[in-house]
Every structure is written in C-alpha cells, then in structure tokens.
Amino acid sequence: MKFFIDTADVAEIRDLASTGLVDGVTTNPSLIAKSGRPMAEVIAEICSVVPGPVSAEVTATDHATMLREGRYLASIAGNVAVKVPLTVDGLKTCKVLADAGTPVNVTLCFSPAQALLAAKAGAAYISPFVGRLDDIGAVGMDLIADIVEIYAAYDYKTAVLVASVRGPLHVVEAAKLGADVVTLPPSVLRQMYKHPLTDKGLEAFLADWAKTGQSILGPETDAA
Ligand code: E4P
C-alpha cells in the first residue's frame, strides 16, 4: 500500500519524507489556501522534496479552462498528477490529459457509479472521500469495497486512493480491502506509530538497561 501525505505544508512534508515512508503528496485548493503561498511555487517545492506523484488541482469548472490549467500544472514538474473534480467537464478533461500521458487524479468521488466513470476516462487515481461520507452518517469504507470490487472485475488500472482519512482505523480498513493508496493528514501518519504498550515496554527495557551500566557504542566500536 502506498502512503501519500495530504497537505501543502512543505515543512511537514520534509519532516515526514525523512521517514522514507512517503510515496506521494495530495493537495487541494483548501490546502493551498491554508499554506498562504502561491500555488505554482508550493507545488514546485513539494515536487522537489518528494519524487512520487504530487496532486495539484485545477480550479476552473469548464472543460476548456480546466484543460489549460491542467496542462500548466503538469508543466511545473515531471511528477505532478493533475487533479480534477468528478464532474462531466472534469472527466472530459481527465480523458484528454490521460490520453496524452498525463496522470490524472479524479477527486470528490462519493459513489461507485462515479468511480466507474473515472476509470473509463482513464484516471490514474480515483479519490473516494471516506471521512466526509462518515460525517453524513454513511459508511465511507463501503464505497472503497465497492470500487475495489468493480475495478478488479474489469481489470481497470485506476488506483484506488482513499482520501478524507480521519484516523489510523481508516488506513487499516482500507488496507484490508486492498486499496492501492491512502492519503494521510500528517497527524494520522504520526498517530499510526503510537501504541501505549510500545511506550511502556520501551520504558521498562531502558530502565533495565541503565542498571547494567553498559553502553553498546564505545571507543572499541567507533571503528566499526
Ligand atoms: C484528498 O485528496 C483530499 O485533499 C482530502 O483527503 C480531503 O480530506 P478532508 O475531507 O479531510 O478535507
């Protein structure tokens, strides 16, 4: 399973990229607005930090302008994936860009029917928003199960990118369903490391070790 980071905060991205676990980044207009920086500048910087795909979203709503925006965004760096919303114009744009070899992430997906359309339009990624479905009383993870089943039945190459993730349990459930990618708010990736028994166990190990007076590294190991 691939892990993308869902933020436009370059300091966060640099910090988490140092773990070696970050395969890509997703942004959206709200995250770019939150960064307070010009979009082209922030996307270029993220692309230089993370070699994997970096989603940059168009903001036009008509096909012609979406296409111009998408081509411009793709020109910023070789690892940009153009993000388009799941609308008629968005999928028309997806088809043209995908046919020309540009990876497209189709976002704001809330139904299996929408996901089927995105696959037919040649999307590299479909982004179903599980958290926002949970927020309105639906079961977001049911949508992931449906999409995984449909894509497998027709061998679609579109990767299922689970978005709007609210916590580690979403990640585990998505992994059990065989989703290809999750995009994680930085806080969720950090939460995934945590378990109280890990902290307690480490504390006990270190206390016992301190009693020995030993140290693994010393003058005799410095040459190693
Ligand atoms: C994904 O690409 C979106 O940017 C993101 O996951 C949306 O998450 P939210 O519902 O927490 O805003």
Side-chain angles (χ1 to χ4, degrees), residues 63-124:
H63 169 58
T65 317
M66 277 180 171
L67 194 53
R68 285 177 51 216
E69 288 184 353
R71 285 176 175 147
Y72 169 67
L73 292 171
S75 76
I76 293 175
N79 55 333
V80 166
V82 175
K83 206 171 179 190
V84 300
L86 211 153
T87 59
V88 173
D89 288 70
L91 291 191
K92 279 166 74 175
T93 305
C94 172
K95 182 84 174 74
V96 176
L97 290 172
D99 285 350
T102 300
V104 180
N105 176 358
V106 176
T107 190
L108 291 167
C109 171
F110 294 96
S111 81
Q114 290 180 316
L116 182 54
L117 292 172
K120 283 188 70 66

Side-chain angles (χ1 to χ4, degrees), residues 45-224:
E45 194 174 343
I46 295 170
C47 287
S48 72
V49 174
V50 176
V54 174
S55 290
E57 186 163 342
V58 302
T59 54
T61 53
D62 67 285
H63 169 58
T65 317
M66 277 180 171
L67 194 53
R68 285 177 51 216
E69 288 184 353
R71 285 176 175 147
Y72 169 67
L73 292 171
S75 76
I76 293 175
N79 55 333
V80 166
V82 175
K83 206 171 179 190
V84 300
L86 211 153
T87 59
V88 173
D89 288 70
L91 291 191
K92 279 166 74 175
T93 305
C94 172
K95 182 84 174 74
V96 176
L97 290 172
D99 285 350
T102 300
V104 180
N105 176 358
V106 176
T107 190
L108 291 167
C109 171
F110 294 96
S111 81
Q114 290 180 316
L116 182 54
L117 292 172
K120 283 188 70 66
Y125 303 96
I126 182 67
S127 291
F129 279 34
V130 293
R132 293 192 195 187
L133 281 169
D134 290 355
D135 290 346
I136 61 160
V139 180
M141 219 37 77
D142 285 353
L143 175 58
I144 305 304
D146 285 344
I147 299 173
V148 167
E149 181 183 341
I150 291 167
Y151 283 7
Y154 292 93
D155 202 22
Y156 283 126
K157 301 296 176 236
T158 304
V160 180
L161 193 172
V162 180
S164 189
V165 164
R166 301 280 195 253
L169 199 53
H170 271 155
V171 182
V172 172
E173 288 171 345
K176 285 165 80 174
L177 290 168
D180 304 282
V181 191
V182 278
T183 189
L184 308 167
S187 59
V188 174
L189 179 52
R190 293 201 173 91
Q191 279 170 24
M192 288 177 70
Y193 284 90
K194 301 301 288 178
H195 196 287
L197 291 180
T198 304
D199 296 341
K200 192 176 164 194
L202 182 59
E203 201 180 314
F205 285 159
L206 294 182
D208 289 341
W209 178 248
K211 288 179 211 155
T212 70
Q214 296 183 52
S215 138
I216 292 174
L217 297 179
E220 65 283 4
T221 59
D222 282 350

